[in-house]
Amino acid sequence: MRTIGELRAALTLDYGFAGDADDFEADLARAISHADPTGLSNAVRLVEEFRGRVAARQDPAFSASVAAAVAEIQAARRMSR
């Protein structure tokens, strides 16, 4: 994803996490509205963050790590009952 348009398309196609497309649009609008005319550093940071979210969501190792962590938490909760 080299452009904001490509990132928007990926988020719209649910390559990110649930709600990311709407969150990105709202956060980007806010970042641009509050930006100093000479810099859009918050918008750049936001694009990088959501790019990372799409990459993480598409990485099988990430999904496996999350599943393992959830299983550990559930096991710990069962043991504490």
Side-chain angles (χ1 to χ4, degrees), residues 1-54:
M1 293 170 291
R2 293 175 297 162
T3 67
I4 291 175
E6 289 173 348
L7 177 56
R8 279 183 167 138
L11 293 171
T12 301
L13 293 171
D14 293 328
Y15 286 119
F17 295 95
D20 274 358
D22 292 336
D23 290 347
F24 175 73
E25 292 301 331
D27 292 351
L28 182 61
R30 218 174 1 264
I32 290 171
S33 293
H34 295 23
D36 181 299
T38 62
L40 294 170
S41 60
N42 285 339
V44 170
R45 180 200 52 75
L46 183 70
V47 169
E48 290 171 350
E49 175 187 335
F50 277 87
R51 251 191 218 144
R53 291 176 64 83
V54 169

Side-chain angles (χ1 to χ4, degrees), residues 63-78:
S63 296
S65 295
V66 170
V70 168
E72 286 180 29
I73 291 169
Q74 290 172 336
R77 285 183 179 166
R78 282 191 298 272

